[in-house]
Amino acid sequence: MLKQITLSLLAAGVLGGCSLAPTLQRPEAPVAATFPQEAAPTGIAAPATPAANAGTPAADIGWQDFFPDRRLQAFIAAALDNNRDLRTAALRIEEARAQYNIQSADLLPTLNAAGGVTRSRTPGELNASGRPILTTGYQVGLSLTSFELDFFGRVRSLNQAALAQYLATEEAARAARISLVAETAKAYLAERSFAEQHELARQTLQGRENGYRLAQQRFEVGASSALDLRQNETLVLTARATLATLARQRAQAINALTLLVGRPLDTIGDLPAPQPLSGQNIVNDIPAGLPSDLLVRRPDIRAAEQRLVSANANIGAARAAFFPRISLTAAFGTASTALSGLFSAGSGNWSFGPQLLLPIFDSGRNQGNLDLAQVRTNLAVVDYEKTIQTAFREVSDALTARGYLEEQIEAQRAVQVAQADRLKLADQRFRNGISSSLDVLDAERELFSAQQSLVQAQLLRLTNSVDLYRSLGGGLKSTTNYASQAR
């Protein structure tokens, strides 16, 4: 009997290699063969970038090397340790791994050691003696419970689908890590931008209040008109409103950064002094490569591909449901009416029960499951192609903006210098009685606007570099192994 069971299991292993899943053909990337040409500055030279990582693919640049600001590095490290979204992603991996282990267990038979005792009573009316009969039986042995002989690859296809889902979840967690690094950096840079603009507004308000006091003195002695006084007062009130707005925006930026970091910022010890935006030497000379490189670099594309593999495998399982299903149930052991006779000669017993299940009429259930699997595969194809297109657009947008932003910053810096000279000349003309105070007030207004615009342009350039780094698959590698905590 053991020989027959062994031969049956070996036959199941040989025939289990059959699969009805269609051959998976990865769709071609529905994008151009190359990225759009990066915009070149029109006659204004871009500032030199650090040469340490020049020409290195984004995926090979650790985030500690990409973000040299030690304060930002501390925030990113804390986010990787404490962010709740990243913890959720880690737990999703554990969940998918457990589901795969459950599904893969069906590939092998389940053996159980069983022992039991049964006691029964037969009424006297049912036997010749006319007296009730009490019987006791003892059993011990091994049992094989409903092991399916996977002739048509149904179980194997389900196992492949579960494995692909696990791998997709793992890739999705990597994509979440990359996004967390980028979003933390962008939130930190936004907070620094509001801090710099707030300081400019504070200095501007202080200067305008001094100017307003002088205007009051001139008005009181009749050296200026009420219009000049009101103009100065308007500038002071406008500066106060701007200062309050920037204070609110900075506080909200701190809240956003705190949420990403996952803990109060003041609980992170040994933080160095913050660097200004102009001192953020973020790498921006990153080669884009070819769109086909994104298939390897970006975890979200790899996750979409694994979801496609899983959906394709489910087609094989749905097709196999149309064919007969054979399962084995067997038991081998000893049995006796007395506990002392369990292992005596002649007490061995066995049972073997193969079962054939042949679908005949199911009201279209199997066909509906097959149609559903095929539709889901088509949806997975569309999702895969859309993920590639989204990645292509993100890289293209970052590349297109990179050259223009360099030119914008240089032009805006020149505007600031020109406005500062204009204010100096207007103030001299006013003191010499050549022009009115309105020219000075207008020059102050324009200088403050130019200073704010320069800070905003610097923020745009830095966030664009972060977006390019993320869209090219950077942010996963680190020089220190910051493991996600799933507790």
Side-chain angles (χ1 to χ4, degrees):
M1 186 58 203
L2 288 176
K3 182 177 180 181
Q4 293 177 355
I5 295 177
T6 302
L7 291 175
S8 298
L9 294 178
L10 289 175
V14 173
L15 296 175
C18 175
S19 176
L20 299 179
T23 302
L24 178 63
Q25 298 291 337
R26 188 170 70 179
E28 293 185 4
V31 294
T34 58
F35 292 111
Q37 291 294 325
E38 182 177 353
T42 57
I44 300 180
T49 55
N53 294 296
T56 304
D60 296 332
I61 303 176
W63 57 262
Q64 290 97 333
D65 298 324
F66 188 81
F67 302 109
D69 188 336
R70 303 286 295 178
R71 187 181 182 89
L72 175 55
Q73 289 180 5
F75 288 149
I76 293 177
L80 293 175
D81 286 336
N82 301 293
N83 184 265
R84 298 317 188 262
D85 290 334
L86 203 59
R87 289 187 181 182
T88 299
L91 291 172
R92 293 297 183 194
I93 294 178
E94 298 300 324
E95 179 186 27
R97 182 187 291 118
Q99 290 176 342
Y100 167 64
N101 290 336
I102 293 172
Q103 186 62 55
S104 61
D106 291 338
L107 293 173
L108 298 174
T110 301
L111 292 175
N112 296 313
V117 57
T118 59
R119 188 172 178 83
S120 63
R121 178 182 182 276
T122 303
E125 291 82 357
L126 299 181
N127 58 72
S129 65
R131 295 191 302 272
I133 299 175
L134 298 176
T135 58
T136 302
Y138 298 91
Q139 293 181 337
V140 65
L142 298 176
S143 64
L144 173 69
T145 56
S146 298
F147 173 62
E148 181 177 344
L149 301 180
D150 196 22
F151 291 117
F152 302 101
R154 189 188 74 87
V155 178
R156 193 170 298 276
S157 293
L158 291 175
N159 180 69
Q160 184 181 7
L163 175 60
Q165 282 292 347
Y166 162 62
L167 296 177
T169 306
E170 199 171 44
E171 294 294 349
R174 294 191 178 100
R177 177 188 171 94
I178 289 176
S179 295
L180 177 61
V181 170
E183 291 304 316
T184 302
K186 291 167 67 174
Y188 172 75
L189 294 173
E191 187 274 331
R192 287 289 85 212
S193 171
F194 288 129
E196 291 189 20
Q197 293 181 69
H198 183 271
E199 178 61 21
L200 286 174
R202 187 192 64 79
Q203 294 175 3
T204 300
L205 175 60
Q206 183 178 4
R208 289 180 180 179
E209 287 177 340
N210 294 334
Y212 178 67
R213 284 192 291 269
L214 292 176
Q216 276 186 318
Q217 295 174 1
R218 290 174 58 84
F219 175 74
E220 290 173 355
V221 299
S224 65
S225 66
L227 178 61
D228 290 338
L229 181 62
R230 290 302 181 187
Q231 288 283 359
N232 278 275
E233 183 181 10
T234 300
L235 286 180
V236 170
L237 296 176
T238 301
R240 286 178 181 172
T242 302
L243 187 66
T245 300
L246 290 171
R248 172 184 57 81
Q249 291 175 331
R250 185 187 179 190
Q252 292 174 337
I254 292 175
N255 293 337
L257 181 60
T258 302
L259 177 62
L260 290 170
V261 171
R263 56 185 288 192
L265 303 183
D266 55 6
T267 63
I268 303 175
D270 299 329
L271 287 177
Q275 296 291 327
L277 293 183
S278 58
Q280 298 288 335
N281 296 319
I282 291 178
V283 179
N284 62 357
D285 188 15
I286 307 175
L290 298 175
S292 58
D293 297 334
L294 297 178
L295 304 181
V296 179
R297 294 176 181 172
R298 288 189 51 137
D300 57 338
I301 295 180
R302 297 198 299 267
E305 183 176 356
Q306 289 298 331
R307 290 193 294 268
L308 176 58
V309 172
S310 177
N312 188 74
N314 283 326
I315 292 180
R319 287 177 176 176
F322 287 91
F323 295 89
R325 188 183 305 176
I326 301 175
S327 60
L328 298 179
T329 302
F332 174 79
T334 64
S336 175
T337 57
L339 186 60
S340 60
L342 266 180
F343 300 101
S344 301
S347 62
N349 75 320
W350 57 268
S351 65
F352 178 65
Q355 183 183 30
L356 173 65
L357 179 64
L358 179 63
I360 296 178
F361 178 73
D362 62 359
S363 300
R365 182 184 302 275
N366 286 339
Q367 184 60 49
N369 286 332
L370 177 58
D371 293 342
L372 178 62
Q374 291 174 336
V375 170
R376 285 177 174 172
T377 300
N378 293 335
L379 288 172
V381 170
V382 175
D383 177 63
Y384 176 70
E385 293 175 339
K386 180 63 179 297
T387 304
I388 294 176
Q389 289 177 332
T390 301
F392 181 86
R393 179 192 171 181
E394 290 175 351
V395 176
S396 300
D397 286 347
L399 289 175
T400 300
R402 182 162 63 176
Y404 288 119
L405 287 172
E406 294 288 352
E407 182 177 4
Q408 179 180 348
I409 287 177
E410 293 302 318
Q412 193 61 49
R413 186 175 288 114
V415 170
Q416 176 180 308
V417 173
Q419 290 294 347
D421 288 342
R422 177 192 172 191
L423 175 59
K424 181 179 179 181
L425 293 174
D427 185 64
Q428 291 177 352
R429 289 171 60 86
F430 172 69
R431 293 179 183 278
N432 293 327
I434 301 177
S435 63
S436 67
S437 62
L438 296 179
D439 293 334
V440 177
L441 297 177
D442 184 63
E444 288 180 349
R445 221 176 8 245
E446 293 297 329
L447 175 59
F448 177 67
S449 176
Q451 291 171 333
Q452 299 282 61
S453 296
L454 178 59
V455 174
Q456 293 167 4
Q458 290 172 337
L459 176 63
L460 285 176
R461 182 181 65 176
L462 292 172
T463 55
N464 179 76
S465 297
V466 175
D467 286 336
L468 180 60
Y469 180 60
R470 178 195 58 80
S471 61
L472 290 174
L476 185 62
K477 181 179 178 181
S478 63
T479 55
T480 305
N481 184 21
Y482 290 98
S484 302
Q485 299 178 359
R487 299 189 181 126

